[in-house]
Amino acid sequence: MNVINLFLLWILLAMSVNAFDGNLVGKTCVVTGATSGIGREISLLLARHQCKVIVAARDSSAFATMVKEVQTDTDQPSISFSYLDLSSVKSVTNFVDNLSSNNIFIDVLINNAGVFQKTPITTEDRLESSFQVNYLAHFLLTNKLLEKGIISD
């Protein structure tokens, strides 16, 4: 991990700690795009600080590797996987419905996922994938979570 990534993680953790008066233990955190890059590092960091982390991503095999890493560092990690494909409105809706039906309430939401393609790709919703994943889906996810009372403003 390079210096810039470490600095970004420090800023995110500092913001989270300030929001919760320094006590993140037992807080439920959802991180999108958490199986690689900064999202992965944020998830691992939150798990090491005894948060209940929900990794919201498409790749469950990358999640299995993350769990092994967290288990070596933490006695009782609380990290789980929930499928979320931000290139699909249906997947976002299903993700929110799943949280709602399991009575899961979120303390921290980190909208981290993003994609970059050199050539435009159209999603099943007939939108350009970069625009949908990087902007629209996070907006939809946040608003659906607020609407269902899963997070509070």
Side-chain angles (χ1 to χ4, degrees):
M1 179 182 304
N2 65 32
V3 174
I4 294 172
N5 287 351
L6 286 172
F7 180 69
L8 290 172
L9 286 174
W10 178 81
I11 289 172
L12 286 170
L13 183 60
M15 289 184 331
S16 296
V17 169
N18 289 338
F20 293 111
D21 299 327
N23 186 9
L24 289 172
V25 175
K27 300 294 181 186
T28 301
C29 306
V30 171
V31 184
T32 67
T35 55
S36 64
I38 292 174
R40 181 180 193 278
E41 296 303 320
I42 291 169
S43 297
L44 294 173
L45 185 65
L46 291 170
R48 289 179 185 125
H49 283 85
Q50 301 176 355
C51 293
K52 297 174 188 171
V53 180
I54 299 172
V55 171
R58 295 175 296 168
D59 188 357
S60 60
S61 60
F63 171 72
T65 306
M66 287 177 62
V67 170
K68 289 177 187 173
E69 186 174 333
V70 172
Q71 286 173 337
T72 60
D73 294 343
T74 309
D75 292 335
Q76 294 180 323
S78 181
I79 186 167
S80 60
F81 178 84
S82 188
Y83 181 80
L84 175 62
D85 181 358
L86 294 171
S87 68
S88 166
V89 169
K90 183 178 180 181
S91 179
V92 173
T93 302
N94 289 342
F95 176 79
V96 173
D97 290 344
N98 182 39
L99 292 176
S100 179
S101 66
N102 289 309
N103 294 319
I104 296 172
F105 297 95
I106 300 170
D107 298 301
V108 178
L109 173 63
I110 300 175
N111 287 320
N112 169 73
V115 296
F116 172 76
Q117 282 111 9
K118 291 181 181 179
T119 58
I121 298 173
T122 304
T123 66
E124 65 186 41
D125 303 308
R126 297 188 294 163
L127 297 165
E128 196 279 320
S129 65
S130 294
F131 184 56
Q132 181 169 346
V133 172
N134 299 343
Y135 302 101
L136 298 177
H138 283 125
F139 179 81
L140 176 66
L141 174 62
T142 303
N143 279 289
K144 283 192 170 289
L145 291 169
L146 286 166
E147 182 181 286
K148 294 239 182 189
I150 296 170
I151 56 174
S152 61
D153 54 358

